[in-house]
Amino acid sequence: SATVPVLDRFRIRSMIGLLESGALTNEQADLTRRELAARADICANGYRKRGKKELYEQYRTIARQFGGSSAER
């Protein structure tokens, strides 16, 4: 989020927790994985732009793990 820079990171952690809890239906889990991958891609690209390589790699890994694009942008 533009107004709260770390909000997407908290959302990503929450979505991972939801997926790991097993409390979601298959459809909910699929939608959560897609949203998680998209948000992780956004975070990764922001970290890349700012030269934060370790955080970039961390969020690229999360994006790939949950179905995000593996192509560099």
Side-chain angles (χ1 to χ4, degrees), residues 9-62:
R9 288 184 5 210
F10 290 121
R11 285 185 181 134
I12 289 167
R13 285 187 209 161
S14 294
M15 285 187 271
I16 290 171
L18 275 171
L19 290 169
E20 290 175 346
S21 76
L24 302 175
T25 66
N26 287 339
E27 183 180 358
Q28 289 171 327
D30 288 342
L31 292 170
T32 301
R33 277 190 285 277
R34 275 189 251 158
E35 186 64 22
L36 173 55
R39 288 188 183 271
D41 268 338
I42 290 167
C43 284
N45 288 329
Y47 289 129
R48 183 176 48 87
K49 281 187 211 176
R50 288 164 185 76
K52 297 182 178 187
K53 184 177 168 95
E54 286 181 29
L55 287 170
Y56 165 76
E57 292 296 334
Q58 177 183 347
Y59 283 89
R60 287 300 300 147
T61 299
I62 292 170

